[in-house]
Amino acid sequence: MHGTSPARPIWRGCVFVAAYVACDVLSGPEARYQAIAPVWHPAAGLAVYAAIRHGRRALLPLVLAALLAASITPALPAQPLLSLLAGLLPVPLYLALALFTRRRLPGGAFFASHRGMLLWAGLAALASLLGALLYAFVVRGPGTAAGLSWVDVLSRYAIAETAGMLAIVPAACCLFDPALRADCLARVRNGDTAAYTAAIALLLAFALQSPAPASLAYYLLMLPLAWAASRQGMAGAITAAIVLEAGVTVAALWPVLHLERMPNLQMLVLSLILSGFLIGIAVDIARRASDDLRQSLRLAAAGEMAAAVAHELNQPLTALSAYGSACQRLVLRDGGDPLLTRTVDAMAAEAQRASNVLRRLREFFRSGAIALDTLTLAELVQDSVAAFAEQAAAAQVALQVHPVPAATLLGDRIQLDIVLRNLLANAVQALAEGPGSTPSATPRRITVDAGVEGLSVWVRIADNGPGIADTIRSRLFQPFVSLKSSGLGLGLAISRAIVEAHGGTLTAAPGRHAVFTMTLPAQGARRERKKRDEH
């Protein structure tokens, strides 16, 4: 990424190591087989999330963190080498689970569907059990302390690891992913969060007076979890899970009774958390379906409006085109000024283009029709950019176009041109309405670049303007949502509908400035997809 400091990865690695060690010290190896310490291992969740986020690049910081944590809280103080080995044992399992998640459940898909969540939770439990077997082999091996039973070591270690992964990984994804953070914080920033947090605290304080799960009050913990998940979706379920695990940690560190039964409580807590997650996923799925239906209805209304506008403007544009053709003939007959000739020609061409745009939009909204032609990526980009060169220069905006690779795609030229022109027009207007360039100010600039990635081609349009607020980014492509005071809010909604009809995506990246990316299947991608469908 341009402008990223070379020291930033080192700084992030140091922060991760410090966080891992801090979490491990609070739980430590005692949490896996003794009753006096917390019975969850949040450091495991941090390790898996770091590997999900950064892949194999997280291996070195993870190894350093595990070694440092194992030296501070050794599993076998009398045998430091075995303690270091015990600390390193789960690292390959963390990495394997993270790489599977990156490949099979990318982008937080493991907590976006019931199947993904159950699959991921099962794999986390399996990885924890394998780690527990290796750990038990070390601490129960020849020459080590033999006072700990195999069942005790296996159960406490597996429970601690699973709890740490199940609670921390989804929370870290929501907290550190800019695309998810704004939505999650918006959902939990209300009075419901304070209410179910207080309910969890009170229920735990009352329930812990009896051994888990002897008191029925433990089962009442499902009520605030269900409350959080049903009101706030997965964001609320994750928040309630963290609050519940924090409460268990405080209870284990606090001098309360029945600490030897804390693993029983943690098993109950894990079941409650997983149930809360499943409820939260169901709520999010229903909410997305409702939003999609609402957007479809709004888009249908926008389509009817566009069809009506096209019908009303078609006749005047036809007349304008005819007048333009008549002017061309008159100018040619009288041998007019060349500048006048070019002006009349441009007027006639733009009138014809406006008529074609209205006709293609009307057909698109009526039947979803797409006239697929073989297009070159360079020609598509250059034609759209050329129309805004003068407008950008007039607004004192630098229009920078990077070299476009040789690639072809199948698409409707007019419809895709509508999308690119709309994105460029929005960028020019956003910069033109901003503060003017001064010697001390950053020059206003729009950057257009394109490329090929696998079986897809992409076009990116970025400006260095004020950007898009997080509060509106999630609704940016909904009909009648506009960043401009005079905007109708249909341009981006229609643009995304056109791109999705071509089998592509149109996204707005989070960040300080506006960055829109249109991704479309390359010409060969459709053939490959057709072959896969046939087989």
Side-chain angles (χ1 to χ4, degrees), residues 20-34 37-38 41 43 65-80 82-88 135 139 157:
Y20 183 98
V21 171
C23 291
D24 196 80
V25 167
L26 288 176
S27 57
E30 301 87 357
R32 291 121 180 178
Y33 59 85
Q34 292 183 10
H41 193 216
L67 289 174
L68 184 58
S71 64
I72 295 176
T73 55
L76 301 168
Q79 302 187 45
L82 278 182
S83 295
L84 293 178
L85 176 61
L88 287 175
Y135 189 86
V139 301
Y157 188 102

Side-chain angles (χ1 to χ4, degrees), residues 133-150:
L133 287 171
L134 296 174
Y135 189 86
F137 179 78
V138 171
V139 301
R140 295 275 305 171
T144 61
L148 307 171
S149 69
W150 275 87

